[in-house]
Amino acid sequence: MGFAIRNDILEKMISDKKHIQLLAALLLKKGITDVVISPGSRNAPMINTFSCIADFNCRNIVDERSAGYFALGLSLANQKPVALVCTSGTAALNYTPAVAEAFYQNIPLIVITADRPDYWIDQAESQCVRQENIYQNFTKKGISLPLGESEKELWFAARQINECLNLAVAGAPAPVHINIPLEEPLHQLVEADLPDVKGIELSEIISHVTKNELSGLKETIIHSQKNLILAGQLNPNPALENALSEFAAKSGAVVLHEHLSNLSDSQFCGSIDTVLTSIQVEKPEDFKPDLLITFGGQLVSKALKQFLRKYKPAQHWHISPSGEHFDTYQSLTKVIKVDVADFFKSLSKLVDDSDESYLNQWKTKEKAVNQLRDSYVKNIGFSDLKAFELIGQQIPANTAIHLGNSSPVRYALLHNRVEKAHYFSNRGTAGIDGCLSTAVGFASISGKLNTIILGDLSFFYDSNALWNKYIGANLRIIVIHNGGGNIFGMIKGPSDSPAYAEHFFAGNSHKAEVLAKAFNLDYYKASDETELKRSLEAFYSPKQQKAALLEVFTDAEVNVKVFRELFSKVKS
Ligand SMILES: Cc1ncc(C[n+]2csc(CCOP(=O)(O)OP(=O)(O)O)c2C)c(N)n1
């Protein structure tokens, strides 16, 4: 299999290791061309081979924890699998957080780790850990390639690689792990083409709901008075949004969504946390659905989970092409294994008797709490809640917004969506360890302006995200510096603990400014409303031609007071 060499390389030299040639050929055959490499010695055969081939777009990131999240962001942005390549030992272990996040966000990472031959494991050899299937809880499949290069072993390796690459994107996408034991010498190169490899295809049959089943579903929908549709975290999907809008309009169903669902129809209901707080003090049972239909990934709102677990629907259908049994509300009665857009499209053709009383109930509530929020936020002092309002007003439309865990995502959800923005967040496992790296990876191939808003602890945790060559002019980082883990002051439990200040809040007086300078970012700061408005204007001005960081300083105690007051106002 011929290939073009990178134009800054003079010779067509690739590793002499046959498995690696095979792997490169199969990756190309499956259209997997984005590679994130971390330096090492044992992975030299992969580095030498991938970096010579023009079709591979290789990036280099030293910190494997950051590289993993960067790859996740890349994959999310271009909706394709991304390969990760690292050496043996703790290098491989450092991928684990990103692999777990990718697993729970259904992102197909192809994790390629170099290893020593198994007879050297646990033998006081350097840089080895027990690496076989180390990500077993977070991958669809983990393989270790055979060491030998006999015809049979190469056939076996090709079959296993084919299977991994197919499974990564089949059904619910997920990471796969290809561990490669390698014998020295590691740097021997040959002038050769890639081998002609046999690609094995996986043909997936898309299931459709039968006519009979559809008419049964229709009957249930028509006879249930209160139909509630809940959209979890989703990638932007206009076809799905159209189908859902049509179904909701025809059926009168209420569609609840968060910003991370990436839906924008104004007939849908957002502001979930404040609406539910308000409902609790009236007659919550009036809002209890008869039929709940869910799809997508996780939801941020804890209040929603508590509400639906208490006021259980008579029926709960979960729609998913891969058929996972998410019984988040302890009421699951049916899993419908179909494409979500197809499901709503098919049902729209059968349903047309929209009774909007349930929808009006929710929309009236939403309007009331949003008005209350707006008048409250207008008059509060400078705080995280206020800063998020001002930031939301200034972020340009039609951009990508990445939200850090944990209070940033919650504050953003309390405010209106930025017009036509796409929202992302590492909500698969809700870690604070890779929010910035994910955004940097995403932004590195995004044609849009990308803003990441994250807390100070998350920023410092993942500041190595800035330690690479892929920081583009389209990146804007907003660090909400409230002096520590302010989220723990907002939620009950940690804030009452005697260990709160030292072990939950973990006060942080370091400033992001020094790191911004170290990584050559333009730096802005704000400690009050006037400064923030001024900084935001410059931060988002077309004149800002370079990646920039805005550090917003707020007072943790004021933040907690303001946040709690909003909810008590909503309650009263
Ligand atoms: C890797 C990881 N470690 C610990 C946590 C627990 N945790 C959740 S939020 C948080 C504090 C975050 O602080 P910061 O980034 O400053 O944001 P804030 O919520 O204070 O605005 C911590 C430690 C986590 N989610 N992920």
Side-chain angles (χ1 to χ4, degrees), residues 38-51:
S38 294
S41 168
R42 188 78 19 191
N43 54 341
M46 289 86 109
I47 298 179
N48 287 330
T49 305
F50 296 154
S51 63

Side-chain angles (χ1 to χ4, degrees), residues 384 405-408 429-433 454-459 461 480 482 484-488 504:
D384 284 358
N405 292 311
S406 185
S407 78
T429 63
I432 62 165
D433 50 344
L454 79 175
D456 51 312
L457 295 194
S458 311
F459 173 77
Y461 198 136
I480 305 292
N482 45 35
N486 211 171
I487 182 73
F488 297 119
F504 289 99

Side-chain angles (χ1 to χ4, degrees), residues 9 103 144 215 231 365 450:
I9 285 178
F103 182 73
S144 265
S215 81
K365 230 342 115 197
N450 280 245

Side-chain angles (χ1 to χ4, degrees), residues 90-352:
T90 53
L93 289 169
N94 273 298
Y95 280 156
T96 315
V99 175
E101 177 64 31
F103 182 73
Y104 287 107
Q105 258 199 78
N106 297 128
I107 295 175
L109 296 182
I110 313 298
V111 187
I112 302 167
T113 56
D115 198 358
R116 288 186 190 256
D118 61 357
Y119 48 76
W120 285 128
I121 306 302
D122 294 344
Q123 299 305 308
E125 247 297 356
S126 135
Q127 213 179 319
C128 322
V129 297
R130 296 171 201 173
Q131 224 169 274
E132 232 180 270
N133 220 355
I134 36 168
Y135 317 110
Q136 60 182 320
N137 286 336
F138 314 116
T139 42
K140 258 199 194 158
K141 191 172 175 71
I143 56 168
S144 265
L145 297 186
L147 191 61
E149 295 191 346
S150 70
E151 202 179 314
K152 229 182 221 164
E153 283 162 314
L154 289 174
W155 159 79
F156 180 45
R159 197 205 76 201
Q160 283 188 303
I161 296 169
N162 261 298
E163 194 176 338
C164 273
L165 301 185
N166 285 346
L167 288 178
V169 289
V176 291
H177 178 205
I178 303 174
N179 186 50
I180 313 184
L182 288 154
E183 196 81 85
E184 283 168 31
L186 299 166
H187 282 273
Q188 218 126 289
L189 301 182
V190 289
E191 193 177 345
D193 275 326
L194 291 176
D196 283 323
V197 283
K198 177 172 69 104
I200 303 172
E201 283 173 21
L202 175 65
S203 172
E204 281 202 274
I205 309 298
I206 298 171
S207 39
H208 295 278
V209 188
T210 62
K211 263 195 173 160
N212 257 355
E213 178 82 3
L214 263 181
S215 81
L217 298 176
K218 179 199 87 176
E219 288 305 312
T220 308
I221 289 167
I222 290 175
H223 290 111
S224 93
Q225 310 241 301
K226 298 177 176 178
N227 295 324
L228 183 67
I229 299 172
L230 199 52
Q233 183 168 13
L234 291 167
N235 287 327
N237 185 340
L240 168 58
E241 173 141 21
N242 288 341
L244 188 58
S245 292
E246 193 187 351
F247 176 76
K250 285 187 162 180
S251 66
V254 175
V255 179
L256 286 190
H257 67 119
E258 293 180 335
H259 298 1
L260 300 174
S261 320
N262 284 303
L263 300 171
S264 54
D265 187 326
S266 60
Q267 272 310 95
F268 299 167
C269 288
S271 307
I272 295 178
D273 270 356
T274 39
V275 167
L276 285 173
T277 305
S278 163
I279 284 172
Q280 297 296 346
V281 285
E282 291 172 17
K283 279 197 190 147
E285 56 281 3
D286 285 357
F287 287 80
K288 175 184 143 167
D290 301 323
L291 169 67
L292 173 69
I293 303 177
T294 58
F295 59 93
Q298 304 206 20
L299 280 125
V300 178
S301 174
K302 195 170 172 187
L304 179 71
K305 285 169 204 151
Q306 286 169 340
F307 173 77
L308 286 171
R309 281 173 196 163
K310 188 161 175 199
Y311 300 100
K312 289 190 171 63
Q315 294 205 50
H316 170 195
W317 303 343
H318 183 64
I319 321 299
S320 147
S322 53
E324 77 268 347
H325 286 49
F326 282 170
D327 193 6
T328 319
Y329 312 103
Q330 301 166 311
S331 53
L332 186 66
T333 49
K334 197 187 268 288
V335 174
I336 305 175
K337 206 172 165 225
V338 284
D339 176 77
V340 183
D342 274 359
F343 170 82
F344 287 115
K345 223 194 264 169
S346 311
L347 275 172
S348 290
K349 291 183 191 137
L350 306 177
V351 176
D352 203 359

Side-chain angles (χ1 to χ4, degrees), residues 409-473:
V409 68
R410 287 163 210 275
Y411 278 119
L413 264 50
L414 285 174
H415 293 289
N416 294 338
R417 289 174 58 88
V418 171
E419 209 187 317
K420 293 190 185 138
H422 290 163
Y423 283 84
F424 304 93
S425 181
N426 282 350
R427 292 304 299 178
T429 63
I432 62 165
D433 50 344
C435 308
L436 186 54
S437 295
T438 304
V440 168
F442 190 106
S444 72
I445 52 157
S446 157
K448 294 181 175 183
L449 187 75
N450 280 245
T451 301
I452 160 110
I453 314 175
L454 79 175
D456 51 312
L457 295 194
S458 311
F459 173 77
F460 280 95
Y461 198 136
D462 191 20
S463 58
N464 269 0
L466 302 174
W467 187 29
N468 62 61
K469 297 176 293 210
Y470 313 105
I471 313 289

